[in-house]
Amino acid sequence: MTDADTRTPLSQLLASMTCENDICHVHVPDDWLQGRAIYGGLTAALCLQSIYDQHGSELPPLRSALLSFIGPAGPDVTLRPVVVRQGKSTAFITVDMLSDDKMAARATFCFGKARDSRVAHAHLDAPAVATPDACDSFFQRPGQTAPNFTQHFEGRFAGGSMPVTQSDDPRYVVWIRHRDREIAPVVVGLAALADALPPAAMASFSEIAPISTMTWMFDVLDDDPATEDGWWLSQSVANHSADGYSSQAMHVWNSAGKPVIVGRQNVAIFA
């Protein structure tokens, strides 16, 4: 970002969170909104950051997250992290996000220490795609209107279909990275990034129509996720869409093809 850039880097937004008596507050600027509300990935990142601000030094790596998006959130939100149970190896922490004193989201995070195991396998091969430099832009395209928050990401279209193309293949494969490279810990940035793509069902739309994420769960497959030059390969696939709802599978690999996140999402569609 340039000196004249008025956008708020994610690292700066996370650092602006204030916490007192186990309650955290943050103001989300317009450039991080989706319409008038916070998008799901930022909700997850803010909930996770509130946990790290309160309990970070005590926690093992993040293993899993489950989020329910109950109502619109933003621009001013309150977060209440609560340790439900913490043992020798695992911790379960919930976070309620409130906006205008109304419940906006509820998240449950599972943290767990690594343990010795004879079982090890990974059947989550990354799709074969061109490098980011060889791919066209995904978010910034002529004639395309994208949500405000997407200006904080670089996206390169690597496979599948583009949104609103009446496609019979509702699938995106996109190289994506934060423009802000100062986000720590990395897993907070990954939470924001893993939900930055539009729902895959939008590839089947004939025109822009509203969507709303209902629930999202994801597992983190790496204790210390890392990638080269900030690029992650993200894939979203709409496995089933009917009756105004779409169920999609989501994966994120690092630049070397190592899986780092796998998840599912339920989306309400109004098309």
Side-chain angles (χ1 to χ4, degrees):
M1 297 183 182
T2 66
D3 292 339
D5 201 326
T6 59
R7 293 176 291 191
T8 304
L10 182 56
S11 56
Q12 182 178 321
L13 174 58
L14 296 173
S16 72
M17 184 180 294
T18 59
C19 298
E20 184 178 2
N21 297 326
D22 298 329
I23 297 178
C24 300
H25 303 273
V26 65
H27 172 78
V28 179
D30 288 348
D31 53 292
W32 272 105
L33 298 182
Q34 176 179 256
R36 294 177 296 173
I38 302 170
Y39 80 102
L42 184 58
T43 295
L46 294 175
C47 288
L48 191 54
Q49 186 64 45
S50 74
I51 292 175
Y52 286 130
D53 283 354
Q54 298 275 4
H55 310 285
S57 61
E58 309 167 16
L59 293 172
L62 178 64
R63 299 292 172 182
S64 188
L66 173 62
L67 293 104
S68 298
F69 302 101
I70 299 165
D76 294 290
V77 294
T78 300
L79 303 113
R80 297 175 178 172
V82 175
V83 178
V84 178
R85 182 183 185 277
Q86 185 163 10
K88 293 181 179 179
S89 60
T90 61
F92 284 86
I93 302 178
T94 62
V95 182
D96 285 347
M97 174 183 279
L98 288 81
S99 182
D100 293 328
D101 294 324
K102 297 178 181 179
M103 182 71 75
R106 173 164 289 172
T108 301
F109 297 91
C110 173
F111 301 82
K113 293 181 180 178
R115 58 173 63 90
D116 293 335
S117 174
R118 295 187 300 272
V119 179
H121 59 263
H123 303 303
L124 294 168
D125 294 338
V129 296
T131 62
D133 289 344
C135 299
D136 293 333
S137 175
F138 181 76
F139 294 118
Q140 291 78 33
R141 298 173 68 89
Q144 175 181 322
T145 301
N148 282 356
F149 73 86
T150 61
Q151 64 189 293
H152 293 279
F153 298 94
E154 293 181 74
R156 306 290 174 82
F157 179 64
S161 304
M162 289 294 293
V164 196
T165 55
Q166 303 184 62
S167 174
D168 293 328
D169 180 21
R171 172 179 61 96
Y172 311 131
V173 184
V174 178
W175 287 107
I176 185 170
R177 68 180 176 183
H178 285 275
R179 295 185 183 277
D180 178 8
R181 306 296 179 81
E182 305 300 323
I183 305 162
V186 171
V187 70
V188 175
L190 274 171
L193 177 146
D195 188 39
L197 302 183
M202 288 190 69
S204 300
F205 286 14
S206 59
E207 59 185 5
I208 294 292
I211 56 92
S212 179
T213 301
M214 310 299 286
T215 60
W216 180 32
M217 67 79 55
F218 62 88
D219 296 330
V220 182
L221 309 179
D222 194 308
D223 284 9
D224 188 21
T227 194
E228 185 176 353
D229 293 333
W231 287 113
W232 308 87
L233 185 64
S234 181
Q235 176 178 272
S236 294
V237 181
N239 301 126
H240 183 272
S241 299
D243 302 319
Y245 295 91
S246 181
S247 178
Q248 70 175 29
M250 307 164 77
H251 298 81
V252 178
W253 297 266
N254 71 5
S255 57
K258 183 178 180 180
V260 292
I261 285 181
V262 60
R264 293 207 65 84
Q265 194 170 77
N266 181 271
V267 182
I269 55 177
F270 301 88

